[in-house]
Amino acid sequence: MPFTIMDRYLTSELLPPFLFGVGAFSSIGVTIDAVFDLVRKIVESGLPVDIALQVFLLKLPTFIVLAFPMSTLLATLMTYSRLSSQSELIALRGCGVSVYRMVLTAVMLSLVVTGLTFVFNEHIAPAASYQANMTLNNALKSDKPILKQQNIFYPEYRETKAPDGTTNRILTRLFYADQFDGKRMSGLTVIDRSEEGLNQIVVAESGQWNGSQNVWDFYNGTIYLVAPDRSYRNILRFEHQQLRLPRTPLSLAEKSRDYGEMNISEALEQLAVEKLGGDRQKIRKLEVRIQQKIALPFVCVVFGLVGAAMGSVPQRSGRGTSFGISVIVIFSYYFLSFITGALAQANVLSPFMGAWLPNFIGLGTGLFLLFRVAQR
């Protein structure tokens, strides 16, 4: 398909409001979320201004990602509304150009923005957000040890078949630590039922993964051995004891990034670790978040189609009306996305449908509006 004079003209009309939208929406988002909090930390906690500025710049990509779909809707709605109100679209139709061909330019530009959103959302925003939080924590706690995570809880299960054929999940091992300081865990309790005929409970002051021998080194603790009939068998006190347990609890503690700080590949790695832990609620939540991360860039295409179709309706509306309609559409979409995401986490919808259903509804709405406009 050739890039015609009409495409060049529409592109030149779409770009200014798009760039304006990126600047406006990302500025509003970062101001509400980050600036007020940073100013409070400068005043109350003595956060250096240069560190605050660095954190502000690192947080900006996250809001630019969110601004891309909104700006696409604003640009297409504003541009096509103006062309419609000035009868330029009627003139193009009089020259034999169909509504579908006119809207195609907006859809193609939306696909470009989709790719840009994917790159930002996958390669820039998660790393920048993680670095922003690390920089802020280091600046505020520079004289304290960096606490990576608290309450590390790792259960292991095995599946057994009952005489009636049903499958039951039975706890085989439970690993718990009060906290992890980045190197060593403290306040450890391990309930081990993995060996047939022998249960043991390990309580230790601290523990550390020994990577050279693939074992855990436990310090200053006690091992309680319990017989199958639940009677006492033995008690062993130790200063240093090595136990062959899986490394997974350390992996869980190390993978302490927030969902917004992980790209898709890191989230998939985290999902594999969570599946070993067996926490179904966390697994479900992560599955939904991964699908939402994949679905987010395609909102640009949906918004581009909806904005162009709504703007092509013959009417006389100003930029203020277009901005107001954009806000309503954006709010409706994200409200619907929140609802479907919650239903997916509650197991009512699949993770895929929970993330993609708003896109499908928006796409159907855009195609319906476009068809109605073309019939006029």
Side-chain angles (χ1 to χ4, degrees):
M1 185 187 68
F3 194 71
T4 63
I5 295 175
M6 181 194 72
D7 293 321
R8 285 199 293 272
Y9 174 66
L10 289 174
T11 302
S12 65
E13 292 295 315
L14 284 165
L15 282 178
F18 173 76
L19 295 175
F20 165 77
V22 172
F25 287 123
S26 57
S27 299
I28 293 171
V30 77
T31 300
I32 294 174
D33 185 83
V35 170
F36 294 148
D37 185 53
L38 288 173
V39 170
R40 185 175 60 80
K41 285 184 168 59
I42 291 172
V43 175
E44 297 179 0
S45 306
L47 179 68
V49 175
D50 59 329
I51 297 293
L53 182 61
Q54 187 179 346
V55 172
F56 170 80
L57 293 175
L58 287 169
K59 281 183 174 290
L60 205 51
T62 301
F63 296 94
I64 291 177
V65 168
L66 297 176
F68 278 148
M70 302 181 200
S71 306
T72 303
L73 176 65
L74 180 67
T76 52
L77 186 56
M78 194 175 284
T79 300
Y80 281 81
S81 293
R82 188 186 64 77
L83 295 177
S84 177
S85 65
Q86 295 178 355
S87 302
E88 293 187 45
L89 296 185
I90 294 175
L92 284 172
R93 295 188 72 172
C95 295
V97 181
S98 69
V99 174
Y100 300 111
R101 180 63 185 86
M102 287 187 277
V103 170
L104 185 60
T105 306
V107 174
M108 296 305 292
L109 285 177
S110 302
L111 282 172
V112 174
V113 180
T114 297
L116 201 59
T117 307
F118 184 82
V119 171
F120 262 77
N121 198 34
E122 180 68 6
H123 298 291
I124 300 176
S129 179
Y130 176 72
Q131 192 60 42
N133 291 331
M134 290 294 294
T135 302
L136 190 59
N137 288 335
N138 289 336
L140 295 177
K141 302 176 181 177
S142 57
D143 57 342
K144 299 177 183 178
I146 300 174
L147 183 62
K148 296 287 185 183
Q149 196 171 352
Q150 291 180 317
N151 299 321
I152 297 113
F153 180 82
Y154 169 61
E156 268 189 6
Y157 300 90
R158 72 165 181 267
E159 293 189 347
T160 61
K161 280 199 171 182
D164 60 356
T166 58
T167 303
N168 298 320
R169 296 177 81 236
I170 296 176
L171 181 72
T172 55
R173 186 180 289 125
L174 179 63
F175 186 106
Y176 174 80
D178 287 339
Q179 63 183 33
F180 173 60
D181 64 3
K183 293 182 180 178
R184 181 174 289 207
M185 295 190 183
S186 59
L188 289 150
T189 301
V190 179
I191 300 174
D192 191 351
R193 304 172 61 202
S194 58
E195 294 186 23
E196 192 70 28
L198 178 66
N199 297 329
Q200 64 176 352
I201 301 171
V202 182
V203 181
E205 181 180 301
S206 61
Q208 190 171 11
W209 173 253
N210 186 336
S212 61
Q213 301 180 39
N214 287 330
V215 295
W216 280 89
D217 288 326
F218 288 88
Y219 301 96
N220 301 324
T222 306
I223 299 177
Y224 301 89
L225 298 178
V226 183
D229 60 358
R230 300 178 183 81
S231 63
Y232 154 78
R233 176 173 286 188
N234 200 1
I235 294 180
L236 172 65
R237 298 188 186 280
F238 63 87
E239 292 185 356
H240 177 215
Q241 180 70 33
Q242 289 189 326
L243 293 177
R244 193 166 293 280
L245 298 172
R247 187 187 185 278
T248 313
L250 180 62
S251 301
L252 279 173
E254 289 176 336
K255 298 282 185 181
S256 58
R257 290 191 180 191
D258 186 72
Y259 296 118
E261 298 171 352
M262 292 186 282
N263 57 29
I264 294 174
S265 59
E266 289 169 339
L268 288 172
E269 290 177 7
Q270 177 70 13
L271 179 62
V273 173
E274 295 291 354
K275 282 183 176 177
L276 291 174
D279 189 332
R280 291 181 176 178
Q281 189 175 0
K282 286 180 103 174
I283 292 171
R284 189 73 179 182
K285 187 174 182 180
L286 193 50
E287 287 175 339
V288 174
R289 290 287 185 273
I290 291 171
Q291 288 297 330
Q292 288 176 330
K293 217 169 182 52
I294 299 171
L296 175 66
F298 292 93
V299 183
C300 299
V301 178
V302 174
F303 279 0
L305 179 62
V306 170
M310 291 179 70
S312 299
V313 176
Q315 58 189 342
R316 293 191 179 279
S317 58
R319 293 182 178 181
T321 306
S322 299
F323 188 81
I325 295 173
S326 299
V327 171
I328 294 172
V329 173
I330 291 166
F331 176 80
S332 302
Y333 174 84
Y334 283 108
F335 180 72
L336 179 62
S337 180
F338 173 78
I339 296 294
T340 56
L343 290 175
Q345 286 190 42
N347 226 9
V348 177
L349 296 175
S350 68
F352 177 82
M353 287 305 295
W356 285 87
L357 187 57
N359 283 3
F360 294 149
I361 293 175
L363 189 63
T365 305
L367 290 173
F368 174 74
L369 290 172
L370 186 61
F371 178 75
R372 289 288 301 273
V373 173
Q375 294 301 310
R376 293 192 177 188

